[in-house]
């Protein structure tokens, strides 16, 4: 039996990853400030602790750890990341976690590490054309992310690459692009566009109105959680390839188009009112040439299918929250 530790196991991707590893026969320890909010954890052991503390990190990595998945970070949707009000927290909290983690991996002799980076590391000037963003892995430098979150994630990559180069830690880096699905944040101010729009549409009656920040013509691609986990596992299983590599979808959609897709699943016709608000870069979509060439990986779940699954889950949460169930 292999032993895995998941940092950030109380979060959206982390809780799903714990479940996946258990299905593959791993013994799993989860670590986070909190347990998963929408389901019971399937981890064999769960430490509720602050990974900004070096002692908590070292405690979590005691014993023979075959694989560590470092997903823990201070993050959220556009309202949290691009407001500018949380920059110091984002930089401080996530940097501490990664510095302590990298050092503890050496001291505890962790065999293999996955670091969850982000598409937010890419230069803002390569994402000004909504229909032609440039996000191949080599375009990350010269660096010019559009947010403190992007700068911190890029710093995290450099930390782990330095530890790989100088201290022999076997670290894999995946740059995640807008991962979505059920059992993620949907109403706490840290939800991302798919969950936020699903919630808004679920909350209004047919013929009602919702707000969208900006003109809604900004583009994104979104990757369903199951496909994300497949890519992470493929990267960890590959002996030689370490990344950094994009983990995302190339199925690009405008935010208006995403809202219309959700309306189809909801069976509602809803008006959109565009208002000012943080929108991030103008266009973003994953470039999957490298991950396909090295890992033969590509998404299996279309945006239409994944959004349908996600909307149904969020609609049930809204119904339950309103006391109508």
């Amino acid at each position: 039996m292999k032993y895995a530790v998941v940092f950030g196991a109380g979060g959206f991707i982390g809780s799903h990853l714990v479940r996946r590893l258990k299905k593959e026969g791993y013994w799993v320890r989860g670590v986070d400030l909190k347990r998963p909010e929408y389901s019971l954890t399937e981890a064999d052991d769960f430490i509720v602790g602050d990974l900004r503390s070096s002692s908590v990190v070292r405690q979590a990595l005691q014993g023979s750890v075959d694989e560590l998945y470092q997903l823990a970070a201070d993050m959220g949707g556009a309202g949290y990341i691009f407001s500018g009000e949380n920059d110091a927290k984002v930089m401080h909290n996530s940097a501490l976690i990664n510095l302590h983690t990298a050092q503890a991996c050496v001291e505890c002799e962790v065999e293999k590490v996955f670091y969850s980076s982000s598409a937010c590391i890419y230069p803002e000037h390569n994402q000004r054309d909504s229909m032609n963003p440039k996000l191949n892995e080599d375009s990350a430098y010269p660096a010019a992310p559009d947010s403190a979150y992007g700068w911190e994630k890029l710093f995290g990559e450099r930390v782990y690459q330095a530890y790989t180069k100088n201290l022999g830690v076997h670290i894999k880096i995946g740059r995640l692009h807008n991962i979505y699905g059920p059992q993620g944040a949907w109403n706490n101010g840290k939800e991302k566009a798919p969950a936020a729009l699903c919630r808004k549409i679920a909350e209004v009656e047919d013929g009602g109105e919702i707000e969208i920040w900006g003109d809604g013509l900004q583009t994104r691609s979104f990757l369903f959680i199951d496909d994300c986990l497949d890519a992470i596992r493929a990267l960890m299983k590959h002996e030689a390839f370490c990344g950094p590599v994009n983990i995302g979808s190339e199925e690009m959609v405008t935010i208006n188009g995403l809202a219309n897709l959700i309306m189809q699943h909801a069976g509602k016709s809803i008006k959109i009112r565009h208002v000012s608000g943080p929108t991030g870069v103008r266009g973003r979509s994953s470039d999957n040439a490298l991950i396909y060439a090295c890992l033969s990986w590509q998404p299996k779940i279309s945006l239409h299918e994944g959004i349908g699954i996600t909307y149904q889950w969020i609609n049930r949460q809204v119904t339950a929250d309103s006391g109508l169930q």
Side-chain angles (χ1 to χ4, degrees), residues 220-263:
R220 294 293 186 273
S221 67
F222 301 96
L223 183 69
F224 192 67
I225 182 62
D226 291 0
D227 283 328
C228 174
L229 300 180
D230 288 344
I232 291 173
R233 294 295 295 128
L235 179 57
M236 286 294 274
K237 290 175 182 177
H238 199 284
E239 288 300 318
F241 182 61
C242 294
V245 65
N246 289 327
I247 296 178
S249 169
E250 294 181 315
E251 187 180 356
M252 196 161 60
V253 64
T254 65
I255 299 302
N256 287 338
L258 178 63
N260 288 327
L261 177 59
I262 297 169
M263 290 180 209

Side-chain angles (χ1 to χ4, degrees), residues 85 88 109 126 129 304 308:
E85 298 174 359
E109 299 181 342
N126 285 347
D129 184 341
H304 186 278

Side-chain angles (χ1 to χ4, degrees), residues 173-224:
I173 298 173
R175 294 171 177 166
L176 275 55
H177 290 242
N178 294 316
I179 314 304
Y180 75 100
Q183 299 181 17
W186 62 277
N187 67 343
N188 65 0
K190 288 191 173 185
E191 63 271 21
K192 296 184 179 180
L197 289 173
C198 283
R199 186 200 72 243
K200 290 179 180 181
I201 290 169
E203 287 176 339
V204 302
E205 299 292 334
D206 186 25
E209 181 181 84
I210 63 169
E211 293 182 349
I212 286 181
W213 290 338
D215 60 11
L217 298 178
Q218 61 270 33
T219 57
R220 294 293 186 273
S221 67
F222 301 96
L223 183 69
F224 192 67

Side-chain angles (χ1 to χ4, degrees), residues 120-176:
C120 291
I121 64 98
Y122 287 108
E124 185 274 336
H125 58 257
N126 285 347
Q127 302 171 81
R128 292 174 181 166
D129 184 341
S130 61
M131 301 310 296
N132 295 288
K134 181 183 179 183
L135 280 86
N136 63 295
E137 287 80 359
D138 290 341
S139 70
Y141 296 94
D146 71 335
S147 66
Y149 178 73
W151 279 107
E152 186 283 319
K153 281 295 186 183
L154 196 59
F155 171 72
E157 287 190 11
R158 302 299 296 199
V159 168
Y160 289 113
Q161 287 170 329
Y163 271 74
T164 296
K165 178 181 178 181
N166 296 150
L167 298 169
V169 183
H170 190 189
I171 295 174
K172 313 273 192 170
I173 298 173
R175 294 171 177 166
L176 275 55

Side-chain angles (χ1 to χ4, degrees), residues 71-109:
L71 308 175
D74 191 341
M75 55 86 69
Y80 186 80
I81 294 299
F82 298 115
S83 68
E85 298 174 359
N86 303 297
D87 289 358
K89 289 195 299 182
V90 167
M91 296 290 283
H92 176 267
N93 294 340
S94 297
L96 275 181
I97 292 170
N98 288 313
L99 289 168
H100 292 322
T101 297
Q103 184 61 31
C105 284
V106 176
E107 296 171 359
C108 299
E109 299 181 342

